Amino acid sequence: MIELSKAEFEVLDAVWLGYPATASEVIARLSDNKEWHEKTIKTLLSRLVKKGALSFEKQGRQYNYTPCIAREEYTLKESQSFIERFFNGRIAPLVSGFAKSEQLSQHDIDELKKVIDDWEKQQK
Amino acid sequence: MIELSKAEFEVLDAVWLGYPATASEVIARLSDNKEWHEKTIKTLLSRLVKKGALSFEKQGRQYNYTPCIAREEYTLKESQSFIERFFNGRIAPLVSGFAKSEQLSQHDIDELKKVIDDWEKQQK
DNA sequence: ATTAATTGATTACGCGTGTAATCTTAACTT
DNA sequence: AAGTTAAGATTACACGCGTAATCAATTAAT
């Protein structure tokens, strides 16, 4: 699995918002939330390319970046390893922890029910 | 929040198995699964103390280590920040990702249903 | 009482990460 | 055509982490 740092993931996330994307576009997208220097973001883009998370095509003197992996795929892998490390690979204890500490809203519960529902239909 | 590295967490996890615990006990507990050198584990214990995750009392020339935080508390915080980073703070998409990729067993589903059930009773 | 052993403390060291600054070169400007 | 930008490449640097080895001191053994 490609291992990304927190900062690298945030940059990749900005690319996932719409791609191909130039560095300037990524920088613009991130400028709302983060106080990152332009140079910092470019460094992170380079590291993402080096790690095989982004590919690019030259377009004049700019690069057009495209993710090499889907967000769902990446987050699934991360979720798996997270749940493995903290909950022995089982997902219910995580949800249960949220429930116990009142982190769940009715909306969350409804969504979870739907997920379960869909899963059961799938099994049928 | 106390920030622990992966290795630090694994050592703390071994302390949670039963405490107070001496370094030797922790080393023994970890020896089954990990190939860590004794010195490495002691370094990690020290770092956990420095970070405020473990406290200790001298007992002869050994230390008796005790966690300063509960496992549930720590994993909940970690879960929150994980879900925040990857799923905008919502838990259903995580579960949904597992479902879609066939990572869920009937057992998991049953557990999740129970969590939901308990939550709803709580609300009543 | 010395010596040996064991425990925690201190030091080590290369790699990844966050955070940029500087360098180089290709593309606009005039 | 020459100068000026601006984009990416390269370099920088301190700190955390994984992974121990060495140092110091106190207890246990003889």
Side-chain angles (χ1 to χ4, degrees):
Chain A
M1 177 169 55
I2 298 178
E3 294 281 352
L4 305 181
S5 78
K6 257 174 100 160
E8 284 160 359
F9 174 79
E10 289 190 67
V11 171
L12 178 52
D13 216 5
V15 180
W16 272 320
L17 287 182
Y19 50 84
T22 64
S24 327
E25 285 170 342
V26 174
I27 291 166
R29 288 174 195 171
L30 287 167
S31 69
D32 299 334
N33 312 16
K34 308 292 295 184
E35 295 295 314
W36 279 336
H37 194 286
E38 160 219 2
K39 299 292 189 185
T40 300
I41 296 175
K42 289 189 175 184
T43 297
L44 293 168
L45 284 169
S46 301
R47 288 181 184 169
L48 284 165
V49 169
K50 196 169 180 188
K51 289 189 177 186
L54 283 180
S55 68
F56 65 87
E57 276 188 42
K58 263 185 180 150
Q59 175 82 44
R61 74 174 139 188
Q62 304 193 133
Y63 285 2
N64 268 28
Y65 295 95
T66 305
C68 299
I69 34 174
R71 193 181 198 284
E72 291 70 38
E73 189 188 338
Y74 181 78
T75 57
L76 177 63
K77 291 269 176 63
E78 283 298 313
S79 302
Q80 282 172 205
S81 89
F82 179 87
I83 288 182
E84 189 60 45
R85 292 201 300 127
F86 290 102
F87 302 102
N88 261 306
R90 289 173 47 238
I91 199 173
L94 189 165
V95 182
S96 166
F98 267 64
K100 272 189 208 137
S101 59
E102 334 225 325
Q103 308 274 318
L104 294 186
S105 65
Q106 181 65 55
H107 182 59
D108 292 323
I109 293 288
D110 291 344
E111 285 184 312
L112 287 172
K113 279 182 176 172
K114 176 145 184 3
V115 171
I116 290 175
D117 232 51
D118 291 348
W119 185 89
E120 292 186 325
K121 273 182 199 140
Q122 199 63 32
Q123 296 310 109
K124 162 231 57 156
Chain B
M1 177 166 60
I2 297 178
E3 293 281 352
L4 305 181
S5 77
K6 258 174 101 159
E8 285 160 358
F9 174 78
E10 289 189 68
V11 171
L12 178 53
D13 217 5
V15 180
W16 273 320
L17 287 181
Y19 51 84
T22 64
S24 328
E25 286 169 341
V26 175
I27 290 166
R29 289 175 195 171
L30 287 167
S31 70
D32 299 335
N33 313 15
K34 307 293 294 185
E35 295 295 316
W36 278 335
H37 194 286
E38 160 218 2
K39 300 291 190 185
T40 299
I41 296 175
K42 290 190 173 183
T43 297
L44 293 169
L45 284 169
S46 301
R47 288 182 184 169
L48 285 165
V49 169
K50 195 168 179 187
K51 289 189 177 186
L54 283 179
S55 68
F56 65 86
E57 274 188 44
K58 263 185 181 150
Q59 174 81 45
R61 76 174 138 188
Q62 303 192 131
Y63 285 1
N64 267 29
Y65 294 95
T66 305
C68 299
I69 34 174
R71 193 181 198 284
E72 291 71 35
E73 189 188 338
Y74 182 77
T75 57
L76 177 63
K77 292 269 176 64
E78 283 298 315
S79 302
Q80 283 173 205
S81 88
F82 180 87
I83 289 182
E84 188 59 45
R85 293 201 300 126
F86 291 101
F87 301 103
N88 260 305
R90 289 172 47 237
I91 199 172
L94 190 165
V95 182
S96 166
F98 268 64
K100 270 188 208 138
S101 59
E102 334 224 326
Q103 308 274 318
L104 293 186
S105 65
Q106 181 64 55
H107 181 59
D108 292 322
I109 293 288
D110 291 344
E111 286 185 312
L112 287 173
K113 278 181 177 172
K114 177 146 184 0
V115 171
I116 291 174
D117 232 49
D118 291 348
W119 185 88
E120 291 186 325
K121 272 182 198 140
Q122 200 63 32
Q123 296 310 108
K124 162 228 57 152

